[in-house]
Amino acid sequence: MSATAAVDHLVGLQAQNVKPPYYALAARLDGFTPEALSRPMADREVVRIVTLRSTIHTHTADDCLTLRPLVQAARDRELRHFRAGLAGVDLDRLAATARALVEEEPRTMKELREALLEDWPDADPQALSVAARCKLPLVQVTPRGLWGRSGQVRLTTAEHWLGRPAGPAPAPDATVLRYLAAFGPASVKDMQTWAGLTRLRDAFERLRPRLVTFRDENGAELFDLPDAPRPDPDTPAPPRFLPEFDNLLLSHADRTRVVPPELKGRHWQGNIAYRTLLVDGALAGLWRLDGDALVIEPFGHLDRTRWAEVTAEAERMLGVLHPGTAYDIRFGTVRG
């Protein structure tokens, strides 16, 4: 599968930072190289934009222009938290003003905020920039997002960057099917957590005749596509090094399928998420790159065989994303 096809299949990749989508694809795709994502991003086939859960995702261009309308109501609700700072601000006029500014030239959020303050000097500056982000589909223009490149976050509208208008919001039913193809079996609550949306039960009920259902250990109803792969429980799950905020850890309300109950909260500290190590398909530790070392902090004992498997996967991952650089792989403390 190509990188673009994987981004499409997963309905986007969590991307608060630049590198996580690259690590996410390196863990999932055979033959992946950073250029496989950088090239379509430079060619405007994939983009970085705030969508699901009000966080930045890497999406295909098509999804950028359709999923953002799907979650627009949630972005409008988000603005309620900033009402005090937006007293007297006409949000439609603000959106039109912000659109003209960023389509004239891509701007940083600071530049956009300062320009908007000229029209609304009494408003809260942060609230103005949040309003622009919520009302408009603002994408981060390259070189931001390219592997090995640096650049400030500069924004313009999706329509301007991609050269075509946004499409109509997809029916929730179509998005339910795509979510299940990527993350099923899953409950209604799981998808609502993934999307940052509510009231999706009706869509699942309309689709029920086309789906299969199960019950998890706690009795929750799970839905899936009839022909979706459901591997035998004894199927080997090789070790994987995942980035912070990986989709696998954020796409279900019930995260015990990946995070053992006794490890709940171990891969977070405040608002900081750590890079995670999976062993046998479950959270087993943390990792980080520190100078010329890849430091691994297992949460439990790894016997010689498992450590050899983890080391082999670490070497593979490093060879994909950091070829030609020698790293020492060792135990250590990741947090602190």
Side-chain angles (χ1 to χ4, degrees), residues 24-291:
L25 292 176
R28 289 165 166 83
L29 300 181
D30 185 30
F32 175 76
T33 65
E35 182 64 16
L37 182 60
S38 277
R39 186 185 313 110
M41 187 167 289
D43 292 342
R44 309 188 188 190
E45 296 170 11
V46 299
V47 297
R48 295 166 54 82
I49 183 173
V50 172
T51 52
L52 308 169
R53 304 183 301 279
S54 193
T55 55
I56 300 168
H57 280 69
T58 294
H59 285 294
T60 64
D62 287 343
D63 277 348
C64 169
L65 293 170
T66 54
L67 282 177
R68 175 55 193 247
L70 177 69
V71 301
Q72 184 57 48
R75 301 291 70 75
D76 291 338
R77 288 194 299 272
E78 184 181 348
L79 278 177
R80 296 173 186 172
H81 301 295
F82 298 88
R83 282 179 297 187
L86 294 169
V89 176
D90 182 325
L91 293 178
D92 290 335
R93 182 180 156 219
L94 180 144
T97 301
R99 178 182 291 275
L101 287 166
V102 298
E103 291 186 352
E104 178 184 46
E105 61 175 330
R107 297 175 188 259
T108 67
M109 193 60 83
K110 179 177 181 292
E111 291 169 345
L112 180 58
R113 183 165 54 243
E114 290 174 349
L116 292 173
L117 276 170
E118 293 181 10
D119 283 358
W120 293 280
D122 297 327
D124 176 68
Q126 181 187 7
L128 288 175
S129 57
V130 169
R133 189 197 71 180
C134 287
K135 297 298 290 184
L136 296 176
L138 297 178
V139 300
Q140 297 184 1
V141 305
T142 53
R144 183 73 176 178
L146 303 183
W147 185 260
R149 299 281 299 277
S150 62
Q152 287 183 295
V153 175
R154 291 190 172 276
L155 305 164
T156 190
T157 63
E159 300 94 332
H160 186 72
W161 185 245
L162 298 173
R164 51 194 171 107
D173 304 38
T175 307
V176 168
L177 295 175
R178 292 187 63 196
Y179 168 77
L180 291 176
F183 301 109
S187 68
V188 176
K189 187 176 180 181
D190 286 332
M191 181 176 174
Q192 290 180 162
T193 296
W194 167 80
L197 299 174
T198 58
R199 302 178 182 178
L200 293 178
R201 167 64 67 178
D202 288 349
F204 277 82
E205 292 301 331
R206 286 192 296 270
L207 292 167
R208 184 180 288 275
R210 299 170 55 185
L211 304 174
V212 293
T213 59
F214 307 92
R215 293 284 175 179
D216 69 11
E217 294 84 349
N218 298 315
E221 186 176 35
L222 306 179
F223 296 82
D224 207 0
L225 304 181
D227 58 350
R230 286 178 288 275
D232 184 274
D234 293 328
T235 302
R240 286 293 183 263
F241 288 82
L242 298 181
E244 62 271 31
F245 303 111
D246 189 85
N247 288 43
L248 185 64
L249 299 173
L250 296 173
S251 297
H252 301 89
D254 177 12
R255 296 173 183 173
T256 59
R257 63 177 69 198
V258 179
V259 181
E262 66 273 17
L263 297 180
K264 181 180 179 180
R266 293 288 298 275
H267 61 299
W268 293 84
Q269 188 174 47
N271 292 325
I272 303 299
Y274 297 102
R275 296 174 177 181
T276 53
L277 167 68
L278 302 188
V279 175
D280 288 335
L283 176 67
L286 309 176
W287 66 278
R288 64 184 169 89
L289 294 177
D290 183 9

